[in-house]
Amino acid sequence: MNTGAGPRGPGVLVIEPMGNAGRFLVEAADRLGIRLYAATHKDIYDTYPPWLGSALSGLCATDLADVPRALEEMDAFCRRHRITGIAACWELLTPLAALLAERLRLPGNDPVLARAARNKILMGEAFAAAGVPAPRWTVVQDAGQAHQVAASHDLGWPLVIKPAEQGGSWGVSIVGGPDQLSAAVAGAQQYTHAQPHGVALDTRVLVQEYVPGEEYSCETVIAHGVAYPLPVVRKETTEGTYRIETGHSCPADLAPPMARRVQHIAARAALAVGIRNGVAHTEVKIRPGASMPDVIETGARLPGGNICEIVEAASGVSAAAAYLQAVLGRVPDTAPLRSDAAAIRFLLPERGGRLGRIVIPEVTGTHSELHLRPGDMVPQPTDSSCRIGHVVARAETVEQARRLAAQVASRSRVEVS
Ligand SMILES: Nc1ncnc2c1ncn2[C@@H]1O[C@H](COP(=O)(O)OP(=O)(O)O)[C@@H](O)[C@H]1O
Ligand SMILES: [Mg+2]
């Protein structure tokens, strides 16, 4: 950790920078001359990779699961270090960032609405109140209620069963009929706390109408309540019961009017959950033949899955830099600088087990990274925690980028025993 030396620009406290977006924040802060500080638990800080530890100007060691204590300690820390911006990387911690920003009178999100950006029940209510198009849903406490809802509501089949609070497709399943409902509800209720901080979760379950069609995501940077949309990204997922992301590509290959509608609806979703100075990652699906997308979810955070890298490679816009600018109350740099293309494909196992040999071919125009190593255990492919690695391809057109990334993924070999 760098304590003292380094840039003397404005300081931003990141509430838990560990995770996919952290590295993009570190790069962006370096470019913008911003001092980055982390708020986390001391034990978690001790597991930070060297690139993260050495990029920090200081550490606020606290317990992020204990909201009153964390607010007290982060407040004192921010005042001591003259911190003028608050950011968060983890969806579950974004309400804490809103509360802290309000307490310090710094640019932030609406603290009253902030929980709607992490809890899908409150989110559904906020979308309905703001007229944001979204799938129909209801909430249940257990499998018995889910059976009643499936029998009495006209949500149809398949149904989507998902936890009120989670991410990365954890506990989300698409069920084709009543015989699969109880297992799906049990799957959605398996997490009572989110690690590594031990944040307590709302264990209620959403029963949601299934939206067919292609899936997209879009980042919206919001500064002083003004929305600045980033390019739309196309998302690929597995089919069937578990929808795990298999890749992303940018540009999204949508006709320009539809791309603008996705950006517009994403901005409305972000504003509906109280994002005022920050960033939103919004996921939508477009039903075949529909003129308007349906919002699946939004979160007051940068995207995961290296979407920051894909969007910047394609358009020159850094979502992380724009986010830092927004939390400092500045106008974010979101004007596209180029019209290139990029795609990412994730390497997923066919089943869980111990990883053996992993071979990823080297192909010009691509680079790859492993998240797990031979000898590591990989879980069953039911959510994003089964990612073994990824390959990123850059090209002039998105078809070429997707083809290159798919080629490398299909020629990669992953042994699981
Ligand atoms: N109502 C729905 N209709 C169709 N697919 C859905 C629906 N809800 C979720 N999914 C699929 O499941 C994935 C994960 O669900 P999501 O609500 O985004 O939860 P998470 O917060 O875990 O990412 C989505 O990306 C999408 O592919
Ligand atoms: Mg999602």
Side-chain angles (χ1 to χ4, degrees):
M1 181 177 37
N2 179 352
T3 47
R8 303 313 304 167
V12 171
L13 179 73
V14 187
I15 301 181
E16 191 50 270
M18 197 183 58
N20 188 261
R23 64 203 267 184
F24 301 108
L25 278 178
V26 164
E27 275 171 26
D30 190 41
R31 247 186 283 161
L32 295 170
I34 290 170
R35 286 172 290 131
L36 273 195
Y37 295 82
T40 186
H41 194 282
K42 178 74 180 69
D43 295 347
I44 295 166
Y45 173 77
D46 289 342
T47 68
Y48 277 10
W51 62 261
L52 180 54
S54 62
L56 298 173
S57 294
L59 165 71
C60 173
T62 186
D63 178 356
L64 296 174
D66 180 345
V67 171
R69 177 180 156 194
L71 281 174
E72 197 74 30
E73 291 177 350
M74 291 191 294
D75 181 320
F77 183 89
C78 288
R79 290 178 198 277
R80 204 160 56 242
H81 293 274
R82 296 196 172 81
I83 283 166
T84 51
I86 308 297
C89 278
W90 290 40
E91 195 162 288
L92 294 170
L93 300 174
T94 55
L96 193 56
L99 291 172
L100 180 62
E102 186 202 32
R103 207 172 146 135
L104 291 162
R105 297 182 190 282
L106 294 175
N109 296 331
D110 182 337
V112 176
L113 274 172
R115 278 191 82 84
R118 89 168 230 188
N119 184 301
K120 291 187 173 79
I121 298 168
L122 300 176
M123 191 184 297
E125 288 167 358
F127 287 169
V132 174
R136 292 171 300 143
W137 59 280
T138 187
V139 57
V140 299
Q141 309 266 2
D142 54 38
Q145 286 183 3
H147 280 279
Q148 278 171 15
V149 161
S152 59
H153 287 56
D154 60 346
L155 296 173
W157 296 98
L159 281 172
V160 183
I161 304 297
K162 62 174 87 170
E165 296 187 326
Q166 254 309 351
S169 300
W170 288 30
V172 179
S173 55
I174 317 292
V175 299
D179 53 320
Q180 301 157 23
L181 254 185
S182 299
V185 172
Q189 291 189 311
Q190 64 187 298
Y191 309 104
T192 58
H193 291 80
Q195 299 313 334
H197 291 285
V199 174
L201 299 174
D202 179 349
T203 55
R204 289 176 295 167
V205 173
L206 278 90
V207 178
Q208 202 168 61
E209 170 196 11
Y210 178 79
V211 179
E214 298 291 331
E215 191 162 353
Y216 301 88
S217 67
C218 180
E219 270 52 63
T220 315
V221 181
I222 301 185
H224 300 297
V226 178
Y228 299 82
L230 268 56
V232 180
V233 172
R234 182 166 139 191
K235 178 201 290 238
E236 242 102 29
T237 68
T238 50
E239 289 296 315
T241 307
Y242 304 110
R243 301 293 163 100
I244 314 168
E245 289 171 359
T246 54
H248 303 281
S249 49
C250 184
D253 233 3
L254 282 170
M258 183 56 102
R260 282 196 289 274
R261 281 200 285 274
V262 171
Q263 291 175 316
H264 174 81
I265 289 295
R268 278 181 54 192
L271 290 166
V273 298
I275 300 173
R276 299 290 178 265
N277 293 281
V279 68
H281 172 69
T282 306
E283 297 173 343
V284 306
K285 289 194 80 173
I286 305 178
R287 297 172 201 256
S291 59
M292 235 350 144
D294 273 275
V295 177
I296 300 297
E297 65 157 342
T298 191
R301 56 167 178 86
L302 286 167
N306 284 53
I307 289 178
C308 287
E309 179 182 354
I310 299 305
V311 168
E312 186 165 3
S315 67
V317 180
S318 164
Y323 179 35
L324 289 173
Q325 290 168 322
V327 299
L328 287 167
R330 300 179 185 170
V331 174
D333 289 323
T334 56
L337 302 176
R338 54 178 173 261
S339 314
D340 291 341
I344 185 166
R345 284 286 292 245
F346 302 111
L347 302 179
L348 308 174
E350 277 172 17
R351 60 191 168 84
R354 189 170 297 282
L355 285 174
R357 215 162 61 99
I358 305 172
V359 182
I360 306 177
E362 280 184 28
V363 174
T364 310
T366 73
H367 65 267
S368 55
E369 205 176 300
L370 282 181
H371 309 177
L372 298 174
R373 309 262 149 212
D376 287 347
M377 293 302 290
V378 63
Q380 285 290 345
T382 58
D383 59 53
S384 63
S385 62
C386 72
R387 277 180 201 161
I388 292 164
H390 67 249
V391 53
V392 171
R394 297 179 65 157
E396 271 177 30
T397 70
V398 75
E399 291 79 18
Q400 287 167 348
R402 267 193 220 129
R403 204 175 321 120
L404 262 178
Q407 217 178 62
V408 175
S410 69
R411 285 168 35 202
S412 296
R413 292 286 161 263
V414 176
E415 286 171 9
V416 183
S417 57

